[in-house]
Amino acid sequence: MLSLFRRRRPRAVAPQLTPRSDAIAVARVELAELTPPTPVYLGRLGYLTLVLFENLSRAVLLAPTTSAKTALSAAVAEVLEAHEGVVTEMRGAGIDPVAAMEPFRAELDDFRRRIQGADWPESLVTCYLTGGFLTDFFTGLAAGLPSGLSSRVSLLLDIDKGQAVLVAQLRTAIEGSSRLASRLAMWGRRLVGDTMLVARSSLAIGGQLPGEERIEPVFTELISAHTRRMDVLGLTA
Amino acid sequence: MLSLFRRRRPRAVAPQLTPRSDAIAVARVELAELTPPTPVYLGRLGYLTLVLFENLSRAVLLAPTTSAKTALSAAVAEVLEAHEGVVTEMRGAGIDPVAAMEPFRAELDDFRRRIQGADWPESLVTCYLTGGFLTDFFTGLAAGLPSGLSSRVSLLLDIDKGQAVLVAQLRTAIEGSSRLASRLAMWGRRLVGDTMLVARSSLAIGGQLPGEERIEPVFTELISAHTRRMDVLGLTA
């Protein structure tokens, strides 16, 4: 059970900003036997980190202030580091990164287009919620990887610093605008559906999804973490 | 004269990919007395590195292949590091980064919009040519900064790795398409005009530009470096 309490980088943010540990603990137990083969896991995660990067860099582009742009650049650096780390892991394991990522490109590009959001606040919510959900999920799945790789990948997926930046920017944007808050709450509800589909399809082995009874507890916990993320912003999930 | 031959990071690319050293050497001699006060220099450079980042992340978004996306992410990481480095220098000097960058936002956002290019190959050319020209120029201007800061900033502006990635991607794109090559040659000629205007306006002190005779040698050399960059791609400047 020690793996549930693996060492993490010191947290620089207040506890309410990191509602992921319960979700990860449950996911690690439930998902350990559903982890795809290493090249499939790393290939999908490699392309996913590119998508998280593209979402964040769109948020920088749309940001209305210098202050938001420069603050968000730290979040971008964090996911870029995750991407480079995953690519390095593939190379180290003798896996061709491009060939391993390629099969997931069409699905994840389509996901990115659907979730990009209409404007800056929506794109921030996308980065915060889908980034949080999917890194929780892939950290859970990492339980089934060989142990050294498992802990290295979990560290790469610790994007707490960027999540804290997104929360700070979103709080400033939402402050005092109940209309924006209600629009973003709707956007958050829509995002969770698309994001769960992407997570689910990562569990398909040989085209077959595992039985509902195996994956339901995981999604219940991941959705609770999603709700806590919405709470942090003062939005109703 | 030793400052002309300052220590640089070991070059990982072939010499023809780094046509900047002559331009920098001349610029450093000619520009040393025209360097703006430190907060102005760092503020402008801080926002400029954000713009270089935005250009590169747009190139990643438009990239048609997984291979191009993951290769370009290394170039993005390099400019993000430069941005973070410049912000760190401002903080270390007691300068508020956002306040220092803000005055240059409108001009540089406008520059970015004009140079973004219509598609992937044009956006790559933008990253390669404007990134090369402006980092040469600001490395030259760094000659007039206090010496420790001068050499740290020059190291931050060494974006050779990303430039090599851009050249490799562009060569693949251009290969065998003389029509694309001629379109990109035209695009490159247009870019140099806009880029020179931005460089020139960095020299205005108290709203006044220095006399032509002082800045002409610098621009002659920077334009030669630009021509060599076009040559590397087999394009006519």
Side-chain angles (χ1 to χ4, degrees):
Chain A
M1 290 301 277
L2 256 175
S3 69
L4 298 186
F5 306 98
R6 76 210 147 70
R7 195 162 60 85
R8 293 171 56 90
R9 276 179 274 168
R11 292 166 184 278
V13 289
Q16 77 271 22
L17 297 183
T18 58
R20 63 199 300 254
S21 49
D22 295 349
I24 289 173
V26 172
R28 285 182 74 85
V29 172
E30 303 290 336
L31 292 175
E33 288 167 34
L34 299 174
T35 309
T38 299
V40 175
Y41 175 91
L42 291 176
R44 194 183 271 275
L45 181 58
Y47 204 89
L48 176 68
T49 49
L50 273 179
V51 166
L52 298 181
F53 158 73
E54 290 175 324
N55 286 339
L56 277 164
S57 59
R58 186 158 179 274
V60 174
L61 205 64
L62 295 173
T65 63
T66 302
S67 147
K69 280 180 196 285
T70 192
L72 287 170
S73 73
V76 179
E78 197 175 50
V79 296
L80 264 185
E81 234 177 83
H83 175 70
E84 291 186 354
V86 173
V87 167
T88 302
E89 289 294 344
M90 291 194 259
R91 292 227 172 87
I95 299 163
D96 173 359
V98 171
M101 291 189 278
E102 192 61 29
F104 309 109
R105 182 177 143 210
E107 178 194 347
L108 292 173
D109 277 358
D110 183 51
F111 172 60
R112 181 181 56 70
R113 276 186 292 268
R114 275 181 291 120
I115 65 168
Q116 66 178 358
D119 56 10
W120 187 60
E122 286 192 4
S123 88
L124 280 184
V125 170
T126 294
C127 295
Y128 174 53
L129 294 179
T130 66
F133 193 106
L134 291 170
T135 54
D136 274 7
F137 177 75
F138 275 87
T139 305
L141 268 186
L145 297 173
S147 68
L149 178 62
S150 174
S151 54
R152 290 194 303 276
V153 167
S154 301
L155 273 179
L156 289 173
L157 291 181
D158 184 348
I159 57 164
D160 286 352
K161 211 172 100 193
Q163 292 265 301
V165 169
L166 292 166
V167 166
Q169 293 296 322
L170 274 165
R171 279 181 170 159
T172 309
I174 292 171
E175 212 164 64
S177 169
S178 61
R179 210 169 134 194
L180 179 61
S182 94
R183 177 158 69 89
L184 294 181
M186 274 181 53
W187 178 241
R189 281 193 288 273
R190 184 183 141 189
L191 284 175
V192 74
D194 280 327
T195 307
M196 277 177 62
L197 285 178
V198 161
R200 252 169 204 279
S201 77
S202 313
L203 297 176
I205 294 163
Q208 292 286 319
L209 275 178
E212 272 308 313
E213 74 290 352
R214 297 195 61 183
I215 55 184
E216 208 195 279
V218 181
F219 282 96
T220 302
E221 196 50 59
L222 290 170
I223 290 167
S224 301
H226 169 80
T227 305
R228 290 193 292 277
R229 273 184 208 100
M230 298 280 273
D231 285 345
V232 165
L233 299 179
L235 304 179
T236 318
Chain B
M1 291 299 279
L2 256 176
S3 69
L4 298 186
F5 306 98
R6 74 210 148 73
R7 198 160 57 86
R8 294 171 55 93
R9 279 179 273 168
R11 293 166 183 276
V13 289
Q16 78 269 23
L17 299 182
T18 57
R20 62 200 299 254
S21 49
D22 292 351
I24 290 173
V26 172
R28 285 182 74 85
V29 172
E30 303 291 336
L31 292 175
E33 287 168 34
L34 299 174
T35 309
T38 298
V40 175
Y41 175 93
L42 291 177
R44 193 183 271 272
L45 182 58
Y47 205 89
L48 176 68
T49 49
L50 273 179
V51 166
L52 298 180
F53 158 73
E54 290 176 324
N55 287 339
L56 276 165
S57 59
R58 183 158 181 273
V60 173
L61 205 66
L62 295 174
T65 64
T66 303
S67 147
K69 280 179 196 288
T70 194
L72 287 171
S73 73
V76 179
E78 196 175 53
V79 295
L80 265 184
E81 237 177 81
H83 175 69
E84 292 185 356
V86 173
V87 168
T88 303
E89 289 295 343
M90 289 194 259
R91 291 226 173 86
I95 300 164
D96 173 359
V98 171
M101 292 189 279
E102 192 60 31
F104 309 109
R105 182 176 143 211
E107 178 195 349
L108 291 174
D109 277 357
D110 183 50
F111 172 60
R112 182 182 56 69
R113 275 186 292 269
R114 276 181 290 120
I115 64 167
Q116 65 178 356
D119 57 10
W120 188 59
E122 285 190 6
S123 86
L124 281 184
V125 170
T126 295
C127 295
Y128 174 53
L129 294 179
T130 64
F133 192 106
L134 291 170
T135 54
D136 274 7
F137 177 75
F138 275 86
T139 306
L141 267 187
L145 297 173
S147 70
L149 178 62
S150 173
S151 53
R152 290 194 303 277
V153 166
S154 301
L155 272 178
L156 289 173
L157 292 181
D158 184 350
I159 58 165
D160 285 352
K161 212 173 99 190
Q163 292 265 301
V165 168
L166 292 166
V167 166
Q169 293 296 322
L170 273 165
R171 280 180 170 162
T172 309
I174 292 170
E175 210 163 66
S177 170
S178 62
R179 213 169 131 194
L180 179 60
S182 95
R183 176 158 70 89
L184 295 180
M186 274 180 54
W187 179 242
R189 281 193 287 273
R190 186 183 139 186
L191 284 174
V192 73
D194 279 328
T195 308
M196 277 178 61
L197 285 178
V198 161
R200 250 169 205 280
S201 77
S202 313
L203 297 177
I205 294 162
Q208 292 287 317
L209 275 177
E212 273 307 311
E213 72 291 354
R214 296 194 61 182
I215 56 185
E216 206 195 280
V218 182
F219 281 97
T220 303
E221 197 50 59
L222 290 170
I223 290 167
S224 302
H226 168 81
T227 305
R228 290 192 294 276
R229 272 184 208 101
M230 299 280 272
D231 285 344
V232 165
L233 300 179
L235 304 178
T236 318

